[in-house]
Amino acid sequence: MKALVLFACLLASVAGSSQAEEKPSRPNILVILADDCTHSDLSFHGGENAKTPNLDAFAKQGTVFERAYVSMAMCAPCRSEFYSGRLPIRNGCAWNQAASRPGTRSMPHYLGELGYRVGLAGKTHIKPATVYPFEEVSGFDENCVREPTLPHSLDGVKRFISRDAAQPFCLVVALTEPHVPWVMGDAGAYPPRSIKLPPNLADTPRTRQDFGRYLAEITYMDGQVGEILKALEDAKLDSNTLVVFSSEQGAQFPGNKWTNYDTGLHTSIVARWPGVVPAGRRTPALVQYADVLPTFIELAGGKPDAAVFDGSSFASVLRGASDKHREFTYGMHNNYPEGPPYPIRSISDGEWRYIRNLTPERTYIEKHLMGRTEHNPYWGSWVFTATENPRHLHLVERFLHRPSEELYHTSEDRFEMKNLAADPAHAEIKARLAKELDRHLADQLDPGVPLDTPAASEAANKLSPLYPGKP
């Protein structure tokens, strides 16, 4: 009899232990977005300069996605893609400063229907409110070009995440660093002469000075990340919260933001969920911002509809069950109103990148980068030194004048400095990527050149011959 009692107690103990260790099926979700941060400038992606102790520790606690991409290297389009699960043409925000098409549904709709509270703190840069009805959470500056950024407070975040223990939450904290102007943080921690500039930037004293100020903002942003994670820990919510960090698109240097190069479209994604997402792991799975919302929906207990989204769930990758997701990621750029029209389309398989410049006869101009000298004085130093420095001349000409086709072996040429499009040895690779890009553009009903015009931009939220799109 005693043996039976002991055996029953043992079973109860094991069952209780199993239940205690079992993870709830629906996590809280916390997203932390940086602003205009080139992924390769972060140390856990190979960056050699920026000091990011909080992100370095966070990366070791979760899974680092080595091949994650946005579809447009501009704030409004990539955030609209992230929140809607639809690529720019389908959600309507295919230009910077544009709005998504009325009727588009997004994260607050889908997760709200699954019982989540869905909030947003900090930068928005998405519209209209009917498409993105996030609960407003106070504490972080919404204006990414304010000089300086307003002081931040964790009070709103703490209230939101702790408000109702019975209801799961999804909170996006959208930081405004390291977006220009680079005025936050301690630039003195980055002496210009000690900086190791990436090879796609011209090495001028002004570039080094401004790059140091940019690095200081990355470190300032890293401090904010640390404070947010500490607030989650203090609330004892870290064990059942999926935390996702992303760096958004590349920084405001030539060849990064507003381009289809890897340093523009490649983003950092790091995910942590203790006991579910493997720690200390790096995955080569190819993912895109449009995949994030379907992933959240699946983790929240829903079933993302493949007919609605351009993305698909990579929950199996998060759980460590797979290192494969997409076969291709797609990129595009419409330059108006950031400058005169200059449409670009691209595709990557994670190893190779194929870029198609639709109007190569034109000169590429980005007015913020090349014209606003109070934010970007380094561009003038590139042009001024190009007379005597052949490498600087090459970088200037590479930025202003582009061929109809570009092909880069990105896995071996990280900064995509050698265009292999005319090399017969790689003709088969180029043809394969070009064929898939054509298929994708047809699927998206992308008209190409007519899309990057003032008329199309003004008709962004209307279905018309200039702006076709799937309902």
Side-chain angles (χ1 to χ4, degrees):
M1 184 69 179
K2 289 182 179 180
L4 289 175
V5 172
L6 287 172
F7 183 65
C9 290
L10 178 62
L11 285 177
S13 174
V14 170
S17 173
S18 174
Q19 290 173 3
E21 293 175 1
E22 184 178 327
K23 284 287 177 186
S25 59
R26 285 157 46 95
N28 299 309
I29 300 171
L30 172 62
V31 177
I32 305 174
L33 292 180
D35 195 358
D36 283 15
C37 181
T38 306
H39 89 285
S40 55
D41 290 326
L42 297 171
S43 62
F44 56 88
H45 285 299
E48 299 182 272
N49 299 287
K51 301 176 181 67
T52 53
N54 295 296
L55 282 171
D56 292 348
F58 177 70
K60 292 176 182 177
Q61 296 162 2
T63 291
V64 176
F65 285 75
E66 297 179 320
R67 302 193 301 181
Y69 294 88
V70 302
S71 63
M72 292 187 76
M74 291 189 283
C75 295
C78 80
R79 288 168 190 255
S80 296
E81 176 190 1
F82 190 96
Y83 298 140
S84 72
R86 289 184 163 204
L87 295 175
I89 288 182
R90 286 193 71 190
N91 80 58
C93 186
W95 305 260
N96 213 14
Q97 316 301 335
S100 291
R101 190 179 300 111
T104 302
R105 287 162 56 82
S106 68
M107 197 173 288
H109 297 108
Y110 292 106
L111 294 184
E113 290 169 357
L114 293 170
Y116 277 67
R117 295 181 287 113
V118 187
L120 173 60
K123 179 174 176 175
T124 52
H125 212 157
I126 45 172
K127 56 185 179 182
T130 54
V131 170
Y132 303 105
F134 286 94
E135 177 183 334
E136 294 183 13
V137 178
S138 64
F140 288 83
D141 201 347
E142 298 181 11
N143 187 343
C144 63
V145 295
R146 196 190 310 275
E147 188 173 349
T149 302
L150 295 176
H152 62 277
S153 167
L154 273 295
D155 291 346
V157 168
K158 292 176 180 178
R159 286 193 298 269
F160 182 84
I161 64 177
S162 303
R163 192 170 71 208
D164 185 353
Q167 184 181 25
F169 67 81
C170 174
L171 173 63
V172 178
V173 183
L175 307 174
T176 59
E177 274 74 43
H179 195 289
V180 296
W182 296 313
V183 295
M184 305 303 290
D186 178 16
Y190 296 98
R193 290 187 180 182
S194 68
I195 291 171
K196 297 180 181 179
L197 284 177
N200 62 338
L201 302 186
D203 191 349
T204 69
R206 187 71 217 202
T207 303
R208 286 181 168 273
Q209 178 183 335
D210 290 337
F211 200 81
R213 294 165 59 215
Y214 158 66
L215 293 170
E217 288 229 349
I218 292 179
T219 299
Y220 180 84
M221 175 270 292
D222 178 79
Q224 293 178 304
V225 171
E227 292 180 40
I228 296 166
L229 295 177
K230 182 65 163 54
L232 188 71
E233 180 183 353
D234 290 345
K236 301 186 184 306
L237 294 167
D238 51 320
S239 65
N240 190 40
T241 299
L242 169 66
V243 183
V244 176
F245 167 82
S246 183
S247 61
E248 206 201 38
Q249 76 266 326
Q252 196 162 301
F253 285 100
N256 298 354
K257 187 178 182 179
W258 299 304
T259 75
N260 269 203
Y261 296 120
D262 191 75
T263 45
L265 296 175
H266 199 150
T267 189
S268 173
I269 290 183
V270 186
R272 185 191 76 182
W273 183 9
V276 179
V277 174
R281 171 173 169 250
R282 306 182 75 89
T283 176
L286 200 61
V287 300
Q288 189 150 354
Y289 258 16
D291 299 323
V292 173
L293 179 55
T295 303
F296 288 175
I297 291 172
E298 180 178 337
L299 295 177
K303 294 182 179 180
D305 186 346
V308 170
F309 299 108
D310 288 307
S312 60
S313 171
F314 55 82
S316 63
V317 178
L318 278 180
R319 295 187 179 107
S322 175
D323 271 327
K324 293 184 179 180
H325 185 58
R326 284 178 169 268
E327 186 176 0
F328 303 102
T329 62
Y330 308 95
M332 67 182 299
H333 179 70
N334 291 316
N335 204 47
Y336 185 84
E338 307 303 299
Y342 198 96
I344 306 169
R345 304 293 184 264
S346 69
I347 182 173
S348 172
D349 64 3
E351 182 174 356
W352 293 85
R353 176 176 306 283
Y354 170 71
I355 300 175
R356 187 178 292 164
N357 298 301
L358 305 188
T359 55
E361 71 281 359
R362 296 178 182 169
T363 298
Y364 179 82
I365 297 172
E366 205 299 312
K367 63 185 181 183
H368 300 292
L369 190 151
M370 301 164 69
R372 295 182 62 179
T373 55
E374 72 272 21
H375 286 172
N376 308 294
Y378 51 81
W379 173 253
S381 73
W382 291 29
V383 175
F384 188 82
T385 58
T387 302
E388 307 297 334
N389 191 313
R391 183 175 178 277
H392 294 184
L393 176 61
H394 169 71
L395 289 171
V396 170
E397 290 182 333
R398 176 177 182 264
F399 191 67
L400 296 176
H401 304 290
R402 307 179 191 184
S404 59
E405 295 180 300
E406 300 176 67
L407 178 70
Y408 299 100
H409 196 177
T410 312
S411 63
E412 294 187 0
D413 178 16
R414 187 180 187 193
F415 291 91
E416 298 179 336
M417 302 304 293
K418 187 176 182 180
N419 182 9
L420 301 171
D423 188 343
H426 305 299
E428 186 176 339
I429 293 171
K430 185 178 76 171
R432 175 176 65 88
L433 293 175
K435 181 179 180 181
E436 172 57 25
L437 179 61
D438 287 338
R439 185 209 63 77
H440 169 73
L441 298 179
D443 176 72
Q444 290 288 302
L445 303 180
D446 186 342
V449 173
L451 197 64
D452 193 2
T453 62
S457 180
E458 292 166 4
N461 298 318
K462 299 176 182 178
L463 292 174
S464 72
L466 284 178
Y467 189 71
K470 297 180 180 180

